[in-house]
Amino acid sequence: MRPLNIFPIFLLILVSACHSQKPPVIETGSVTPMPNEWIDKDTHHKVVKLTSQMDGNSLSFYFHNNPFIGTDMVFYNSSKQNPDEVTDMKKEETYNSNIKNKQLYSININTKEINQLTFCSSPMNGEIVSEKTKTVFYQINDSIFSLQPATKKVKLVYVFPEDFKASITTVNADGTLLAGSRATEEENKILKNNPNKSDFFNLIYEAKLPKTLFTINIQTGQLNKIFTDNAWLNHVQFSSVNPNLLMFCHEGPWHKVDRVWTIDVNTKQVTQIHHRTIDQEIWGHEWFGKSGKTIWFDLQQPRGELFFVGGYNVASGKEIKYSLERNEWSVHYNSNSTETLFAGDGGDPGAVAKAPDGQWIYLFTPDGDRFKSERLVNMKHHNYKLEPNVHFTPDDKWIIFRANFEGQSNIYAVEIEKSSN
C-alpha cells in the first residue's frame, strides 16, 4: 500500500483556516497602528484601511467632489520620501496642500490595487474627476492639465493669462467645461498673512472684494467670465446632470449670508437656493444629489439649536427637510446614488452643534420628516481639525472617510451592513 501523502490536505486546512479568520473586534483608534481591517467594537461595523500600503498622509476628496471613475477612487498622498514635509495630522490645523511630494493616486475599491497617477516635481492642486470622460484634472501654478488614468497620458489644457490668475474647482456633467472663481490680489494677501481659517474667515468676508466666476472650454481653451460680485464666491460646483448649471455660495459667517446660489452658464440667470425664515437661520455645505434633481444642505433653524438636512428641488423650488438630534449633526453630509440613504461625518464638541457625543460616522435613513440614524464608526480618537468628508462607494455598500486617529492621515471604508462578528 502506498503511503498517504497528507501534505496537500494539511495545506488545504491551513489555507482554509487563514481565510476563515475574522477581523479583530477593537475600539477604533485605540492602538497605533490599527490593523488593516477590524470590527468597530462600539458599532459592530467592519472598517478597512484602504491606504495600508501607503507611507505618509493620504487624503480623500472633499465631500462634494466626486472621486470615482467606475470602481477606481482618486486620492492624494504625500509620501515620507521627504519626512520634513509630512505633517502630523492630529496636531496641525491645516494640511499644507503645496508640499512638493503630494501626488494623485487611484485605488480600485474591489481589489485594493493602488496606482500612482502623477509624478510632478511642482506643487499641485485640484480634486476634479470627470466620470463621463474618465479624466482627472489638476493645476500646477497657472497651468491646468488633464490625465487619463487608463493610459497615464497627460495633456496641457489651459494656461491662465497674467491678468487673470485663478483656480479651477469643478467639471461639468458632460466633461466639456471647467469652472472656478477668481480672487483678487487683496484676497490672496489676506490668506497669505492669515493662514488659519479662524483668522482669515471673517477678514475676507468683511473685505467685500470682487470675485469672478468663470468657465473654461476644455476643447477650445476659451475662458468665459460669467459673473462678478463684491462677495466671497466659493464652493463652486457643477450639477451632477445639467452641464449648464453651476452652483456657488456666498462664503462667510453663515448667519450673515444668503449662502447658496445657482447660475446658468449660458443665460447667466442667477437663482437663490433657500431663503431665511427666522433670525439666525443658517444653511450651507451644499451638494447636488446624484440625480441632479435636488440640492441638499445642512440647515439649522436657528443656528446651533434645531438641526436638519434640507433639500431644494431644482425644477420646482419645493423644499423638504429631515430633522436630526444634536449629537447627529455632522460637519458634512452626503447621499448615496439613489438619494435614499445619507451619511454624516459627525463633529466634535467645539463645532457649531456643541454636541457632547457627536464624534461618529453616521448612516441616516429618511423616516417621515426625520432621519433615523445608525452609528458606523467611533471617531473619538480623531482630531476634527481634519474633516472626515464622507463618500458612498458607487455600489452603495461602503462609506469612505479620512481620519487621523493613527497620527498620520489615512483613508478608510466602513461597511454599511453590520458585521456578524
Side-chain angles (χ1 to χ4, degrees), residues 128-141:
I128 306 173
V129 170
S130 172
E131 288 183 280
K132 179 73 172 180
T133 62
K134 297 179 173 59
T135 306
V136 178
F137 297 91
Y138 60 93
Q139 185 169 341
I140 297 176
N141 298 320

Side-chain angles (χ1 to χ4, degrees), residues 46-91:
K46 183 166 78 170
V47 183
V48 176
K49 188 192 308 183
L50 296 178
T51 49
S52 60
Q53 305 173 40
M54 308 292 291
D55 291 326
N57 291 311
S58 294
L59 288 176
S60 52
F61 282 10
Y62 193 52
F63 80 103
H64 65 55
N65 294 337
N66 168 57
F68 293 105
I69 299 176
T71 57
D72 285 347
M73 183 186 75
V74 181
F75 68 97
Y76 274 110
N77 175 271
S78 59
S79 72
K80 287 184 178 178
Q81 293 173 352
N82 298 312
D84 293 338
E85 295 180 337
V86 179
T87 59
D88 183 338
M89 298 299 285
K90 293 191 79 170
K91 296 179 180 179

Side-chain angles (χ1 to χ4, degrees), residues 34-188:
M34 292 291 292
N36 293 338
E37 295 185 7
W38 70 94
I39 306 299
D40 185 299
K41 80 173 186 65
D42 298 294
T43 70
H44 304 289
H45 285 266
K46 183 166 78 170
V47 183
V48 176
K49 188 192 308 183
L50 296 178
T51 49
S52 60
Q53 305 173 40
M54 308 292 291
D55 291 326
N57 291 311
S58 294
L59 288 176
S60 52
F61 282 10
Y62 193 52
F63 80 103
H64 65 55
N65 294 337
N66 168 57
F68 293 105
I69 299 176
T71 57
D72 285 347
M73 183 186 75
V74 181
F75 68 97
Y76 274 110
N77 175 271
S78 59
S79 72
K80 287 184 178 178
Q81 293 173 352
N82 298 312
D84 293 338
E85 295 180 337
V86 179
T87 59
D88 183 338
M89 298 299 285
K90 293 191 79 170
K91 296 179 180 179
E92 295 296 319
E93 179 173 356
T94 57
Y95 177 75
N96 181 3
S97 61
N98 291 318
I99 53 181
K100 291 182 180 179
N101 61 335
K102 176 184 171 189
Q103 304 293 341
L104 285 164
Y105 293 76
S106 68
I107 180 170
N108 185 289
I109 296 299
N110 295 329
T111 67
K112 309 301 185 293
E113 179 184 358
I114 292 177
N115 286 301
Q116 185 169 347
L117 302 180
T118 60
F119 300 83
C120 301
S121 58
S122 300
M124 59 188 299
N125 287 292
E127 296 184 0
I128 306 173
V129 170
S130 172
E131 288 183 280
K132 179 73 172 180
T133 62
K134 297 179 173 59
T135 306
V136 178
F137 297 91
Y138 60 93
Q139 185 169 341
I140 297 176
N141 298 320
D142 59 359
S143 300
I144 301 169
F145 298 89
S146 67
L147 173 121
Q148 298 286 336
T151 63
K152 305 289 177 68
K153 182 179 180 180
V154 176
K155 179 181 177 182
L156 178 65
V157 175
Y158 184 77
V159 179
F160 284 104
E162 284 296 326
D163 62 350
F164 197 85
K165 299 297 185 184
S167 299
I168 54 169
T169 57
T170 185
V171 63
N172 69 347
D174 61 9
T176 59
L177 293 175
L178 296 166
S181 61
R182 187 247 186 181
T184 60
E185 282 303 311
E186 290 85 348
E187 181 178 320
N188 292 332

Side-chain angles (χ1 to χ4, degrees), residues 239-242 288-294 296 335-339:
S239 162
S240 51
V241 173
N242 184 345
F288 278 101
K290 189 74 172 177
S291 69
K293 296 178 180 179
T294 306
W296 300 99
S335 49
N336 70 346
S337 62
T338 57
E339 297 166 69

Side-chain angles (χ1 to χ4, degrees), residues 10 13 113 127 187 197-198 247 299 311 372 382 390 414:
F10 171 76
I13 294 172
E113 179 184 358
E127 296 184 0
E187 181 178 320
K197 185 176 180 179
S198 57
M247 181 163 62
L299 174 64
K372 184 168 60 176
H382 170 74
V390 285
V414 56

Side-chain angles (χ1 to χ4, degrees), residues 135-349:
T135 306
V136 178
F137 297 91
Y138 60 93
Q139 185 169 341
I140 297 176
N141 298 320
D142 59 359
S143 300
I144 301 169
F145 298 89
S146 67
L147 173 121
Q148 298 286 336
T151 63
K152 305 289 177 68
K153 182 179 180 180
V154 176
K155 179 181 177 182
L156 178 65
V157 175
Y158 184 77
V159 179
F160 284 104
E162 284 296 326
D163 62 350
F164 197 85
K165 299 297 185 184
S167 299
I168 54 169
T169 57
T170 185
V171 63
N172 69 347
D174 61 9
T176 59
L177 293 175
L178 296 166
S181 61
R182 187 247 186 181
T184 60
E185 282 303 311
E186 290 85 348
E187 181 178 320
N188 292 332
K189 287 178 182 177
I190 292 174
L191 282 169
K192 182 178 180 181
N193 295 330
N194 303 273
N196 292 330
K197 185 176 180 179
S198 57
D199 296 326
F200 71 70
F201 198 69
N202 279 287
L203 290 173
I204 294 178
Y205 167 74
E206 296 291 349
K208 299 291 191 288
L209 298 168
K211 205 156 186 179
T212 300
L213 299 178
F214 65 88
T215 61
I216 296 171
N217 187 298
I218 293 170
Q219 292 300 318
T220 67
Q222 181 181 355
L223 173 70
N224 187 15
K225 303 170 188 177
I226 60 173
F227 181 72
T228 298
D229 196 1
N230 289 326
W232 185 5
L233 308 182
N234 201 8
H235 280 233
V236 181
Q237 51 187 303
F238 269 112
S239 162
S240 51
V241 173
N242 184 345
N244 300 320
L245 189 62
L246 187 67
M247 181 163 62
F248 64 98
C249 81
H250 283 191
E251 188 66 274
W254 287 14
H255 62 288
K256 296 180 180 181
V257 298
D258 292 323
R259 165 94 181 188
V260 189
W261 304 76
T262 60
I263 182 171
D264 186 301
V265 300
N266 292 329
T267 68
K268 311 301 190 295
Q269 179 181 345
V270 176
T271 303
Q272 183 179 337
I273 307 303
H274 188 74
H275 291 76
R276 185 170 283 106
T277 60
I278 61 173
D279 184 44
Q280 295 293 305
E281 179 175 345
I282 63 172
W283 62 102
H285 283 166
E286 58 285 346
W287 77 96
F288 278 101
K290 189 74 172 177
S291 69
K293 296 178 180 179
T294 306
I295 293 171
W296 300 99
F297 48 88
D298 173 9
L299 174 64
Q300 299 175 39
Q301 297 175 313
R303 178 181 187 268
E305 294 297 330
L306 297 176
F307 305 94
F308 306 87
V309 168
Y312 174 93
N313 186 286
V314 174
S316 68
K318 184 179 179 181
E319 295 192 22
I320 59 174
K321 63 181 182 181
Y322 299 105
S323 66
L324 308 102
E325 298 299 322
R326 182 178 298 275
N327 282 332
E328 297 166 350
W329 174 85
S330 296
V331 180
H332 301 109
Y333 304 93
N334 217 327
S335 49
N336 70 346
S337 62
T338 57
E339 297 166 69
T340 55
L341 293 175
F342 294 76
D345 54 11
D348 63 22

